[in-house]
């Protein structure tokens, strides 16, 4: 029979020495099924030394006779960095045989190298069979008997190669989010010591469930949690920081309690897999923290901050501050607040997932990386799997990953900003500048001309400054790949113009074009990534060199037209927005430089420091974008961070720093009156090594020692929270105390004013010549016009 299926997850097992591919899928009629392919075997390629193909082949034929795990050997013609090579394909019985056989073959005297032995088996299958996750395929299958160890509607054996079909629809997916709360009165929760007390669940079918230690003991609570997952049978499970923290904690608690949580579709517990993500067979487990990591505008990735950025309201008001959550569990009157916090967290995680999943699904489909892995994978790996698929289609050998030291190279051109407050600023971006440069100058690992290679000057492009050369023809691997990516994206963007922005089709296509853009833009950086298979540092160096030349030429053109250039960075220019001049500039860039450029955004007001990559802008819709002001100090309390953002916001919206100074003074007076929540004064620092390894008595180290003496268990990676208190000593370490033993009367208010709040505000206000003294004594009476840079 023929079956239409949408791959959700892929895995494999080895039974009686033979490997089987498992494709966990959803069918057109909404059934959850398992497709098994027993016909596929792992393989790798052997590259002989020069002119030794025949002797290597004979050696391998002889070797095969004494190694029954080798199923076949055959000669194949391939390309390696664009050059033709003859290799021997060695097919073995199961994935476990690959390394055993490979290592023996590599020792043969005429073998130069082994390729593609490190391609994961299930990825190898999808590449060779042209199976893409999150995309519809058809296949001929035979129905098999269903046993009680599988949580699926049916099991089928694949009888032929699957074929992708032209259908971009997404099945109705069951999504479950969850939140876990721990009882940890002595600092960071430890699974060996601290129990789970609440598990809250929310589903996209509007079901909500909460399990607490009030109703169950912890072991029974984990059983109830596991049972509910199996009953609801979600396709996708989402959490927040679930890969690194929550799932490992749950698994550890289950182990300590001598129980298990069989929640997968093969009734197995969660397991750590590649990229540090947690695999739940047959389901896609996705950590929304991985999605938040790519929201660069959100500097501190708390659930509250991410929800606020994404415009998720409602349940945000029920969220509590983490440091004192254990106290809510201890207090019978406050316990319901903690329960509300937990279920609200689960609901917010679900809302984040509703925004993240359309993008994750398209990114998975574009790169070929399974849905549960794609957000956890670094950008370099996303690019690499896309390139691997393209290489397979073009019969290119996939290079091995080689350990190499990081070698820096000169980056993009950054124009020093004109310090101050500016009105009506247009940000003009080159459209996919680096990909288009690589296409224009045929920059690719296989077109790179070695320094000692002799070519006529009309046969190559030469990069400015660095002098690297690249053949003009034939088109390189990167050029071909990038042209496909950009062409696909342009076609989708054309389609989007004729589709209702609120329609499911628009959301799907818009997320697909975003995924294509991300992969295309990341290809340049991948060439210089020391972990890349296709690593050629010269490609990255040449691309940035052409980029610097391009942006320099654009700045020169802008000035000739009469545009006031405020700042330039990488592939963007910030200019005073004069519509006619900007339109002329865009036209001139296209005709003179040969690259597309467009207005990306317009800031109503924009604030620049003297430093590059540190500015803030007010958008017409009232949103404030802040770049680079964070991460200046790792020891700022929450109040200092809050003050800095508010100062930026007031300066931009009031078009003057005076309102910000007034606000700052009010905060100082409120702090002096002890009317700011004490938790906003806690300073959090992470232990980067064991407490006894620290040679310097930093405040958080001293506090960690105090906590250890009180019976707290602290490990590398734990965060230590402290407050600076009053005292005669000038050393902060002598006055740092654990946050939970400090009363407001003990707090050194002057320290927080002079070393936290005012310095964080001066990061902004110093642009306008304010000092700590002027802030604390008087407000400037200069006129509004003097704040703006003309």
């Amino acid at each position: 029979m023929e079956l239409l299926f949408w791959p959700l997850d892929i895995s494999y097992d080895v039974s009686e020495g033979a490997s089987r591919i498992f494709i966990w899928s959803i069918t057109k009629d909404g059934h959850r099924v398992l497709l098994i392919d027993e016909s596929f075997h792992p393989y790798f390629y052997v590259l002989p030394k020069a002119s030794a193909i025949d002797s290597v082949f004979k050696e391998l034929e002889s070797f095969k006779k004494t190694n029954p795990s080798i199923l076949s050997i055959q000669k194949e013609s391939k390309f390696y960095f664009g050059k033709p090579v003859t290799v021997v394909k060695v097919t073995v019985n199961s994935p476990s045989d690959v390394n055993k056989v490979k290592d023996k073959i590599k020792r043969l005297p005429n073998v130069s190298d082994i390729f593609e032995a490190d391609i994961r088996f299930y990825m190898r299958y999808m590449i060779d069979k042209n199976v893409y996750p999150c995309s519809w395929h058809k296949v001929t299958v035979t129905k098999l008997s269903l046993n009680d160890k599988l949580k699926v509607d049916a099991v089928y054996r694949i009888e032929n190669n699957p074929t992708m079909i032209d259908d971009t629809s997404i099945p109705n997916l069951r999504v479950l989010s969850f939140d876990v709360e721990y009882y940890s009165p002595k600092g960071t929760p430890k699974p060996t010591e601290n129990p789970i007390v609440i598990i809250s669940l929310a589903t996209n079918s509007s079901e909500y469930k909460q399990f607490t230690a009030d109703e169950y003991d912890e072991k029974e609570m984990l059983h109830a949690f596991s049972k509910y997952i199996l009953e609801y049978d979600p396709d996708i499970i989402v959490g927040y920081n679930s890969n690194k923290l929550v799932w490992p904690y749950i698994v550890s608690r289950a182990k300590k309690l001598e129980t298990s949580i069989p929640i997968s579709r093969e009734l197995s517990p969660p397991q750590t897999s590649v990229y540090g993500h947690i695999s739940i067979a047959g389901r896609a487990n996705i950590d929304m923290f991985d999605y938040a990591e790519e929201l660069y505008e959100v500097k501190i990735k708390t659930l509250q901050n991410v929800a606020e950025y994404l415009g998720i309201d409602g349940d945000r008001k029920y969220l509590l501050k983490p440091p004192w959550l254990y106290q809510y569990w201890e207090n019978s009157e406050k316990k319901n607040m903690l329960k509300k916090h937990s279920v609200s967290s689960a609901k917010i995680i679900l809302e984040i997932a509703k925004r993240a999943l359309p993008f994750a699904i398209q990114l998975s489909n574009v790169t070929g990386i399974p849905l549960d892995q794609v957000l956890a994978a670094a950008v370099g790996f996303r690019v690499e799997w896309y390139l691997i698929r393209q290489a397979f289609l073009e019969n290119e050998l996939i290079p091995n990953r080689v350990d190499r030291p990081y070698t820096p190279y000169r980056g993009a051109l950054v124009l020093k900003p004109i310090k101050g407050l500016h009105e009506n600023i247009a940000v003009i971006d080159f459209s996919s500048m680096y990909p288009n440069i690589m296409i224009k100058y045929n920059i690719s690992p296989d077109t790179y001309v070695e320094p000692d290679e002799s070519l006529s000057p009309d046969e190559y492009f030469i990069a400015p400054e660095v002098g690297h050369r690249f053949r003009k023809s034939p088109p390189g691997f990167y050029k071909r790949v990038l042209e496909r990516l950009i062409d696909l994206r342009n076609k989708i963007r054309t389609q989007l113009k004729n589709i209702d922005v609120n329609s499911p089709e628009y959301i799907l296509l818009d997320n697909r074009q975003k995924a294509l853009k991300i992969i295309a833009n990341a290809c340049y950086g991948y060439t210089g990534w020391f972990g890349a298979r296709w690593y050629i540092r010269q490609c990255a160096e040449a691309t940035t060199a052409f980029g610097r030349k391009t942006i320099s030429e654009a700045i020169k053109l802008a000035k000739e037209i009469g545009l006031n250039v405020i700042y330039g960075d990488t592939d963007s220019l910030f200019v005073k927005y004069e519509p006619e001049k900007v339109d002329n500039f865009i036209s001139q860039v296209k005709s003179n430089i040969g690259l597309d450029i467009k207005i990306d955004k317009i800031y109503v007001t924009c604030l620049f420091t003297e430093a590059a990559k540190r500015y803030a802008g007010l958008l017409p819709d009232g949103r404030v974008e802040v770049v680079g002001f964070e991460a200046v100090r790792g020891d700022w309390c929450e109040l200092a961070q809050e003050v800095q953002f508010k100062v930026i916001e007031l300066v931009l919206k009031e078009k003057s720093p005076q309102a910000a100074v007034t606000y700052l003074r009010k905060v100082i007076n409120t702090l002096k009156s002890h009317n700011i929540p004490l938790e906003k004064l806690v300073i959090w620092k992470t232990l980067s090594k064991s407490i006894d390894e620290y040679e310097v008595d930093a405040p958080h180290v001293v506090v960690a020692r105090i906590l250890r003496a009180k019976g707290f268990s602290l490990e590398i990676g734990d965060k230590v929270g402290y407050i600076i208190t009053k005292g005669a000593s000038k050393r902060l370490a002598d006055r740092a105390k654990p946050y939970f033993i400090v009363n407001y009367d003990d707090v050194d208010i002057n320290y927080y004013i002079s070393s936290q709040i005012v310095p964080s505000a001066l990061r902004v206000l110093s642009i306008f010549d304010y000092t700590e003294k002027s802030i604390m004594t008087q407000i400037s009476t200069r006129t509004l016009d003097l704040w703006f840079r003309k």
Side-chain angles (χ1 to χ4, degrees):
M1 61 176 284
E2 186 173 89
L3 187 75
L4 295 182
F5 70 98
W6 196 86
L8 175 68
D9 186 30
I10 186 164
S11 58
Y12 73 92
D13 80 346
V14 178
S15 177
E16 298 179 358
S19 50
R20 301 185 299 173
I21 289 289
F22 287 179
I23 308 177
W24 306 88
S25 304
I26 302 172
T27 65
K28 267 295 183 182
D29 54 4
H31 290 128
R32 275 60 184 174
V33 301
L34 173 61
L35 306 181
I36 300 176
D37 194 332
E38 300 172 332
S39 67
F40 189 72
H41 298 282
Y43 63 86
F44 56 87
Y45 293 105
V46 179
L47 178 67
K49 292 179 180 178
S51 305
I53 181 65
D54 292 331
S55 59
V56 165
F57 191 78
K58 288 179 181 178
E59 288 174 334
L60 291 177
E61 281 186 320
S62 175
F63 187 73
K64 179 178 179 294
K65 293 175 183 177
T66 57
N67 287 269
S69 57
I70 298 178
L71 300 180
S72 67
I73 60 170
Q74 60 190 87
K75 295 179 185 177
E76 287 194 6
S77 297
K78 306 283 285 186
F79 293 94
Y80 187 54
F81 283 90
K83 297 176 181 177
V85 293
T86 302
V87 294
V88 181
K89 181 180 179 180
V90 178
T91 303
V92 296
N93 192 48
S94 75
S96 59
D97 295 325
V98 172
N99 284 333
K100 290 185 290 187
V101 173
K102 175 203 72 173
D103 291 341
K104 292 177 182 178
I105 291 176
K106 198 168 184 178
R107 292 194 288 267
L108 296 176
N110 288 311
V111 170
S112 174
D113 210 343
I114 304 288
F115 289 97
E116 305 193 18
D118 61 346
I119 305 295
R120 293 195 295 276
F121 181 53
Y122 59 86
M123 295 297 287
R124 174 87 275 171
Y125 176 86
M126 288 197 295
I127 291 164
D128 286 33
K129 301 293 186 179
N130 201 34
V131 171
Y132 278 82
C134 306
S135 185
W136 289 103
H137 303 70
K138 65 179 179 180
V139 67
T140 300
V141 296
T142 299
K143 194 168 186 178
L144 304 175
S145 59
L146 179 62
N147 64 56
D148 57 6
K149 293 183 180 180
L150 292 172
K151 181 66 177 177
V152 291
D153 298 318
V155 180
Y156 299 97
R157 183 175 61 240
I158 292 176
E159 302 293 356
N160 65 347
N161 287 338
T163 305
M164 277 183 63
I165 63 172
D166 186 15
D167 184 347
T168 58
S169 63
I170 296 173
N172 291 323
L173 299 167
R174 295 194 290 261
V175 182
L176 178 146
S177 70
F178 74 110
D179 173 77
V180 171
E181 300 298 329
Y182 322 92
Y183 177 64
S184 175
K186 291 189 174 183
T188 304
K190 299 289 190 299
T192 54
E193 302 170 15
N194 304 119
I196 295 168
V197 293
I198 301 175
I199 303 175
S200 298
L201 308 172
T203 75
N204 64 337
S205 56
S206 300
E207 287 186 30
Y208 306 103
K209 193 76 175 175
Q210 188 171 77
F211 307 100
T212 73
D214 283 337
E215 304 170 81
Y216 310 85
D217 64 27
E218 187 184 7
K219 185 173 181 178
E220 285 189 0
M221 184 171 62
L222 290 176
H223 286 168
F225 168 59
S226 177
K227 181 181 177 183
Y228 181 82
I229 289 179
L230 293 176
E231 288 174 352
Y232 184 72
D233 196 23
D235 304 303
I236 298 173
I237 300 177
V238 294
Y240 198 79
N241 207 12
S242 52
N243 279 333
K244 293 180 181 177
L245 173 62
V246 185
W247 279 122
Y249 201 104
I250 291 172
V251 171
S252 294
R253 289 304 296 169
K255 184 177 180 180
K256 182 176 177 61
L257 296 167
E258 298 182 342
T259 188
S260 63
I261 42 172
I263 61 172
S264 79
R265 283 186 167 144
E266 61 181 13
L267 301 183
S268 59
Q271 298 177 358
T272 301
S273 186
V274 295
Y275 312 126
H277 93 286
I278 300 297
S279 174
I280 300 175
R283 313 188 197 279
N285 171 62
I286 307 176
D287 189 344
M288 289 299 102
F289 187 81
D290 292 328
Y291 175 71
E293 287 280 67
E294 301 189 37
L295 300 176
Y296 303 115
E297 298 86 351
V298 183
K299 308 309 174 188
I300 302 172
K301 315 288 186 180
T302 63
L303 186 62
Q304 171 88 21
N305 290 350
V306 172
E308 183 177 358
Y309 173 77
L310 295 173
I312 300 169
D313 298 317
D315 286 276
R316 266 185 23 225
K317 61 181 176 288
Y318 299 112
L319 297 185
L320 303 173
K321 295 288 183 182
W324 285 277
L325 290 186
Y326 72 91
Q327 294 179 353
Y328 287 85
W329 185 254
E330 292 175 338
N331 187 318
S332 59
E333 294 179 2
K334 290 184 175 181
K335 189 175 288 187
N336 283 334
M337 295 173 65
L338 183 59
K339 292 178 180 179
K340 185 67 175 176
H341 160 86
S342 182
V343 75
S344 296
S345 297
K347 289 179 180 180
I348 288 170
I349 293 167
L350 183 64
E351 289 302 315
I352 294 173
K354 288 177 181 178
R355 291 155 173 79
L357 287 176
F359 171 70
I361 286 169
Q362 294 307 316
L363 191 62
S364 172
N365 184 245
V366 166
T367 60
I369 300 174
L371 181 58
D372 63 336
Q373 301 175 22
V374 72
L375 292 182
V379 173
F381 289 118
R382 296 175 192 171
V383 172
E384 188 158 274
W385 283 114
Y386 182 84
L387 293 176
I388 286 172
R389 282 193 176 254
Q390 299 303 307
F392 176 79
L393 294 174
E394 297 193 8
N395 203 33
E396 278 272 347
L397 270 181
I398 298 162
N400 292 320
R401 182 169 287 112
V402 177
D403 289 332
R404 56 176 71 87
Y406 171 69
T407 305
Y409 56 90
R410 187 180 171 193
L413 175 68
V414 179
L415 181 69
K416 187 177 180 179
I418 299 175
K419 183 181 77 168
L421 194 59
H422 301 264
E423 280 188 297
N424 205 24
I425 300 299
V427 183
I428 307 177
D429 278 356
F430 280 90
S431 301
S432 302
M433 184 171 82
Y434 284 159
N436 280 310
I437 283 173
M438 295 180 79
I439 290 170
K440 182 176 180 179
Y441 298 106
N442 204 24
I443 297 172
S444 183
D446 51 322
T447 62
Y448 172 64
V449 181
E450 296 287 349
D452 57 353
E453 189 173 348
S454 179
L455 283 179
S456 169
D458 61 357
E459 293 182 88
Y460 58 80
F461 296 108
I462 185 166
E465 303 174 41
V466 295
H468 301 317
R469 299 176 298 163
F470 298 88
R471 289 184 183 82
K472 293 182 178 180
S473 62
F477 178 53
Y478 270 56
K479 179 174 182 174
R480 300 192 301 272
V481 168
L482 287 168
E483 282 180 334
R484 289 188 208 113
L485 282 168
I486 291 174
D487 183 55
L488 282 170
R489 182 172 180 241
N490 288 337
K491 286 178 179 176
I492 291 172
R493 294 174 75 189
T494 300
Q495 284 179 267
L496 289 173
K497 293 176 182 177
N498 303 312
I499 301 174
D500 179 4
V501 295
N502 296 313
S503 68
E505 185 182 6
Y506 186 95
I507 294 171
L508 185 152
L509 290 175
D510 187 45
N511 279 286
R512 188 166 187 81
Q513 69 87 15
K514 287 177 184 175
L516 290 166
K517 177 184 178 181
I518 284 174
I519 299 304
N521 287 341
C523 280
Y524 131 74
Y526 174 82
T527 63
W529 176 42
F530 61 93
R533 293 177 185 271
W534 282 272
Y535 173 82
I536 297 286
R537 193 191 74 254
Q538 292 87 343
C539 289
E541 284 183 332
T543 304
T544 54
F546 277 117
R548 292 191 295 272
K549 179 185 177 184
T550 299
I551 204 80
S552 297
E553 290 175 350
I555 291 170
K556 183 180 177 182
L557 267 177
K559 290 180 177 178
E560 288 173 357
I561 291 169
L563 274 176
N564 186 8
V565 180
I566 309 299
Y567 175 56
D569 183 3
T570 310
D571 59 355
S572 301
L573 291 179
F574 293 65
V575 303
K576 187 76 174 177
Y577 185 46
E578 299 175 72
E580 288 187 10
K581 289 182 180 179
V582 168
D583 289 345
N584 185 20
F585 172 65
I586 290 172
S587 177
Q588 292 281 339
V589 167
K590 288 179 179 178
S591 58
N592 294 351
I593 299 178
L595 293 175
D596 285 337
I597 196 168
K598 59 178 175 52
I599 296 175
D600 179 52
K601 65 187 76 170
I602 295 174
Y603 289 124
V604 177
T605 49
C606 201
L607 174 67
F608 288 98
T609 68
E610 289 180 326
K613 300 183 185 296
R614 191 184 298 160
Y615 62 89
L618 175 65
L619 294 165
D621 62 6
R623 286 183 296 127
V624 173
E625 291 188 340
V626 180
V627 176
F629 278 95
E630 88 297 343
V632 177
R633 293 264 297 272
D635 55 355
W636 275 359
C637 65
E638 182 183 339
L639 179 61
Q641 298 163 356
E642 182 182 293
V643 163
Q644 187 184 82
F645 182 82
K646 188 64 178 178
V647 164
I648 291 169
E649 184 179 43
L650 286 169
V651 167
L652 291 172
K653 290 185 176 180
E654 300 296 329
K655 301 183 181 180
S656 162
Q658 294 172 355
V661 174
T662 302
Y663 157 77
L664 183 58
R665 287 183 161 192
K666 183 178 179 181
V667 170
I668 291 169
N669 289 331
T670 305
L671 179 59
K672 287 179 177 179
S673 302
H674 297 185
N675 286 324
I676 285 175
L678 195 61
E679 63 261 28
K680 291 191 176 184
L681 304 183
V682 179
I683 300 167
W684 293 95
K685 292 282 285 184
T686 301
L687 290 172
S688 58
K689 47 190 172 182
S690 66
I691 297 172
D692 295 329
E693 288 183 88
Y694 282 95
E695 297 178 1
V696 177
D697 286 340
H700 71 296
V701 177
V702 171
V703 169
R705 290 181 184 139
I706 293 172
L707 293 172
R708 185 170 62 178
K710 289 179 176 290
F712 284 69
S713 175
L714 294 170
E715 301 173 358
I716 296 171
D718 283 352
K719 288 187 175 182
V720 177
Y722 62 90
I723 290 176
I724 301 300
T725 61
K726 298 171 186 175
S729 175
K730 292 183 179 180
R731 287 200 335 148
L732 289 183
D734 295 336
R735 295 186 285 118
K737 305 298 180 189
Y739 66 87
F740 55 86
I741 67 171
V742 176
N743 295 316
Y744 231 123
D745 289 337
D746 300 325
V747 176
D748 186 348
I749 300 296
N750 288 330
Y751 164 79
Y752 281 93
I753 292 171
S754 63
S755 299
Q756 291 272 326
I757 300 166
V758 172
S760 71
L762 281 176
R763 284 295 196 191
V764 181
L765 295 175
S766 61
I767 299 168
F768 308 100
D769 303 323
Y770 277 96
T771 62
E772 182 177 355
K773 183 178 179 181
S774 66
I775 287 171
M776 302 300 289
T777 56
Q778 64 180 359
I779 299 176
S780 173
T781 57
R782 285 189 284 178
T783 64
L784 183 64
D785 287 346
L786 289 178
W787 300 124
F788 284 95
R789 300 297 188 260
K790 302 298 182 184

